[in-house]
Amino acid sequence: SIHEKFVSEFGDELSFVAKLTVPYGRIWHMGLEKSDKNIWFGDGWQDFVEYHSICYGYFLVFRYEGNSNFHVLVFDKTATEIQYPSSKNYFLTHLQKKKFKMSRGRERAIQAARMLKPKNPSFIGVLRPNYMQRYIMYVPVQFAVKYLSQPKIVKLQTSNGKQWPAKCILREWASSAMNIGRGWTVFSRDSNLEEGDICVFELIKKQPVVLKLSGSS
């Protein structure tokens, strides 16, 4: 559970996925679960605890760096910082668990994204391998029909207010469905999006269309 004082000050800017960076350089993606005014680390936390052999009586120091990013130090019961595992061991462990964690993590992340409940119309996008290869983002039919009825230029915005222009194009096999095409590659790269990330896009302006990236995992 994240301390209530921190939540009261920064809770509104936290997305549904946090990034925890540890001293050996690895970034752990951690699902954030929200209920009323309470926020806690969910999906991925148990793996983080087990990997670093964190036991009862250990304490962790979190330094918040904005945009749901935290730097974390781990101390044992003697108040001594632990010896962190090597990156090589991390990669071996990660590869062994990757398939299981992706299916479980994606389901939990999508559930968490749905809990965000943006005040404006929104849709959830999953960065599938074929989307990454074709440099596109699929827009669900219902959303496209209602808010993007004609091919047009839209603006993609991150939480810091920066915007990127992108073109919405009709899918070849379905006249009512759309992709975000030209411009998506630059936006996804600058936003550090990766294959498997789950994103929430919120329609914050209709003329011109502005879609805000509310979160990613």
Side-chain angles (χ1 to χ4, degrees):
S1 179
I2 298 178
H3 195 280
E4 59 182 14
K5 185 176 180 180
F6 180 89
V7 172
S8 67
E9 187 170 354
F10 299 104
D12 290 341
E13 71 178 71
L14 294 177
S15 69
F16 60 90
V17 174
K19 294 181 181 179
L20 273 57
T21 303
V22 284
Y24 59 92
R26 289 307 308 164
I27 296 176
W28 292 73
H29 292 80
M30 203 76 59
L32 288 177
E33 300 188 18
K34 302 181 180 183
S35 178
D36 297 324
K37 295 183 179 180
N38 300 310
I39 302 178
W40 60 95
F41 293 114
D43 185 59
W45 176 253
Q46 187 64 34
D47 295 324
F48 180 84
V49 168
E50 291 177 357
Y51 186 74
H52 295 93
S53 301
I54 297 172
C55 303
Y56 180 78
Y58 280 42
F59 68 93
L60 288 72
V61 177
F62 294 83
R63 183 178 73 241
Y64 185 54
E65 300 178 335
N67 296 322
S68 300
N69 296 323
F70 295 84
H71 186 274
V72 186
L73 300 176
V74 182
F75 296 85
D76 63 20
K77 296 177 182 179
T78 67
T80 302
E81 190 172 3
I82 67 168
Q83 172 120 22
Y84 299 96
S86 69
S87 295
K88 181 178 179 180
N89 289 338
Y90 167 81
F91 281 121
L92 290 174
T93 303
H94 180 70
L95 288 172
Q96 290 169 353
K97 294 183 177 180
K98 183 177 181 181
K99 186 174 180 180
F100 171 71
K101 287 176 66 177
M102 280 185 65
S103 60
R104 185 188 66 175
R106 178 174 294 174
E107 181 181 353
R108 294 289 297 278
I110 291 175
Q111 290 175 356
R114 287 172 178 160
M115 289 174 62
L116 277 177
K117 297 179 180 178
K119 61 181 180 180
N120 299 306
S122 62
F123 69 89
I124 297 174
V126 180
L127 273 65
R128 305 185 188 280
N130 58 323
Y131 296 171
M132 300 297 287
Q133 293 165 7
R134 295 171 59 194
Y135 308 108
I136 61 171
M137 166 54 74
Y138 169 67
V139 180
V141 174
Q142 272 190 323
F143 189 93
V145 169
K146 194 167 184 179
Y147 302 107
L148 304 173
S149 58
Q150 297 295 328
K152 61 180 68 180
I153 298 296
V154 301
K155 293 183 179 179
L156 304 175
Q157 178 176 313
T158 51
S159 57
N160 62 8
K162 187 176 179 180
Q163 296 183 345
W164 290 257
K167 187 176 182 180
C168 280
I169 54 176
L170 292 172
R171 293 168 70 92
E172 296 176 359
W173 53 269
S175 60
S176 60
M178 285 188 169
N179 291 330
I180 299 174
R182 183 178 300 172
W184 171 256
T185 303
V186 176
F187 172 77
S188 60
R189 183 187 63 227
D190 291 352
S191 303
N192 297 316
L193 298 179
E194 300 175 350
E195 180 182 316
D197 282 353
I198 292 91
C199 306
V200 178
F201 290 93
E202 181 182 1
L203 180 67
I204 61 172
K205 190 175 180 180
K206 294 183 179 179
Q207 293 295 335
V209 172
V210 178
L211 298 173
K212 179 183 177 183
L213 177 65
S214 298
S216 65
S217 70

